[in-house]
Amino acid sequence: MVRDIRIATLPPQNEHIERHTKLFGKRLDTEERARKKLAREGHKQSENAQNLRGLRAKLYAKERHSQKIQMRKKIKQHEERNIKGAADEKEPANPIPSYLLDRANPTNAKALSSQIKNKRAEKAARFSVPIPKVKGISEEELFKVVKTGKKIAKKGWKRVVTKPTFVGPDFTRRPVKYERFIRPMGLRYKKANVTHPTLNVTVQLPILGVKKNPNNPLYTQLGVLTKGTIIEVNVSDLGIVTASGKIAWGRYAQVTNNPENDGCLNAVLLV
C-alpha cells in the first residue's frame, strides 16, 4: 500500500524567481494576467469588507485604514511637490546671499523636505515591531521572596521568578549558598510558536536566546519571557536565505501573548 505524501514547501526565497525567469523566460500572457489581477483587487477588497465578520473584520478594517492613511499622505506629498513657487527674477537688482537662495524656490524646498520625511519613515519602519508598547511589570509581581536559614535568623535575600523564563541548554545552577535568583523548571520554555507575517504560516521553532525584555535589563539577563520580549529563534528549518545566498540561522521574533496565562509561547517573526 503506497501513500501519497505531499509536503507543503515554502515559496522561493531571495533571487530564485529572477533566476528562473532568466533561464526559462515568462509566460506570454504574464503582463495581461498581472493587469487583470490588479483590476480585480478592488472587487476582492469590497467583497471582504462586506462578508468578513468578527475579529477578521476588525483586523481587515484596521489594515485598510492604515493603507488609506498612507495613500492620503502620499497624495498630499505630491500636491506639495507640485506647488508653483514665485517666479524668479532673471536679473536681480541686488545680489542675494547664499543662505537666502533656497527661499526663492519654495517648490524645491517642499520636495526636499518630503524626501527627508520619507527616508526617516522608511528608516523607522525597519526597526518597528508588532507590539511597540507593553505594560510594565514590577519586581514585586515578578519575584517572590524566599526565606532561608535557621528559624532564629531567617534571611530574605533569595528570589523565585514567577514568570516563564528561558535558559540555555548548557545551564547549570550555582551552589545553593550563592544562588540569588531561582528559575523553576516548570516555567522554562525551549520552543516558541513563531508566525511568519508574510507567508502566514506558524511553526514551532527552538529558542536560541532572549535579546531584550523591554521592562528591565535584569529581566533580559534572567531570560524572562513576557509580552513584547524580543527573542532569537532558530529558522534554519524554514529555508530563509540571506542576501548573500546563505541559509539564515537565527532571526529575531517578538512575543505576542502572555505565556504564564496561555501555557505556550507565541511570537511573530521580525522580517
Side-chain angles (χ1 to χ4, degrees):
M1 181 178 178
V2 180
R3 293 183 179 179
D4 184 15
I5 301 175
R6 298 181 182 179
I7 301 175
T9 57
L10 294 171
Q13 305 287 331
N14 211 18
E15 67 275 354
H16 299 299
I17 296 176
E18 289 78 5
R19 184 171 179 274
H20 185 276
T21 305
K22 289 178 182 177
L23 290 175
F24 305 104
K26 296 181 180 180
R27 291 171 55 117
L28 297 177
D29 58 344
T30 303
E31 288 77 11
E32 184 66 15
R33 284 162 62 91
R35 184 190 65 80
K36 288 184 177 179
K37 184 178 180 180
L38 186 63
R40 286 195 301 267
E41 279 187 1
H43 299 283
K44 183 66 177 175
Q45 290 172 353
S46 175
E47 182 183 354
N48 288 339
Q50 294 178 39
N51 296 330
L52 289 179
R53 296 289 183 271
L55 182 59
R56 290 189 177 183
K58 289 183 179 179
L59 295 174
Y60 181 75
K62 185 178 180 181
E63 182 183 358
R64 287 288 296 153
H65 180 64
S66 62
Q67 289 176 1
K68 289 178 180 178
I69 289 175
Q70 294 298 327
M71 184 174 62
R72 286 171 185 167
K73 285 183 179 179
K74 191 169 288 187
I75 291 172
K76 188 177 180 181
Q77 289 172 359
H78 282 291
E79 288 176 353
E80 288 179 354
R81 187 178 60 185
N82 296 330
I83 291 175
K84 297 294 182 181
D88 299 333
E89 296 180 6
K90 293 183 179 180
E91 293 182 2
N94 299 320
I96 302 175
S98 59
Y99 58 86
L100 292 178
L101 288 174
D102 193 31
R103 296 188 182 181
N105 195 355
T107 306
N108 291 344
K110 285 283 186 182
L112 185 63
S113 65
S114 299
Q115 289 176 3
I116 293 171
K117 288 178 183 176
N118 287 341
K119 286 184 179 179
R120 285 178 181 170
E122 290 174 4
K123 190 174 181 181
R126 284 175 54 199
F127 302 99
S128 62
V129 289
I131 305 176
K133 295 181 180 180
V134 293
K135 183 182 178 182
I137 299 175
S138 62
E139 292 190 1
E140 289 78 9
E141 182 183 353
L142 186 71
F143 298 124
K144 178 184 175 183
V145 179
V146 176
K147 299 287 186 181
T148 60
K150 296 181 180 179
K151 292 183 179 179
I152 56 175
K154 285 188 175 181
K155 300 177 182 178
W157 54 272
K158 281 195 177 185
R159 301 290 183 271
V160 174
V161 181
T162 60
K163 301 288 182 182
T165 56
F166 168 78
V167 296
D170 53 349
F171 170 75
T172 55
R173 291 179 61 177
R174 299 184 67 184
V176 179
K177 187 176 181 180
Y178 302 106
E179 188 178 32
R180 181 172 176 80
F181 298 102
I182 302 171
R183 288 169 280 188
M185 288 284 293
L187 289 175
R188 295 181 190 175
Y189 283 86
K190 295 182 179 179
K191 293 187 177 181
N193 303 321
V194 183
T195 301
H196 198 293
T198 55
L199 301 179
N200 291 328
V201 293
T202 303
V203 289
Q204 196 174 57
L205 301 176
I207 304 172
L208 297 177
V210 176
K211 176 65 177 176
K212 183 176 179 60
N213 190 313
N215 293 296
N216 198 328
L218 176 62
Y219 302 169
T220 305
Q221 184 180 356
L222 292 173
V224 179
L225 300 171
T226 56
K227 189 173 183 179
T229 304
I230 305 296
I231 60 174
E232 189 176 8
V233 293
N234 186 353
V235 294
S236 57
D237 294 339
L238 290 181
I240 297 177
V241 184
T242 60
S244 60
K246 297 181 180 179
I247 298 293
W249 173 256
R251 284 286 176 91
Y252 292 135
Q254 188 179 32
V255 180
T256 56
N257 70 325
N258 293 314
E260 66 271 14
N261 296 339
D262 301 336
C264 63
L265 191 66
N266 301 334
V268 175
L269 199 66
L270 304 180
V271 292

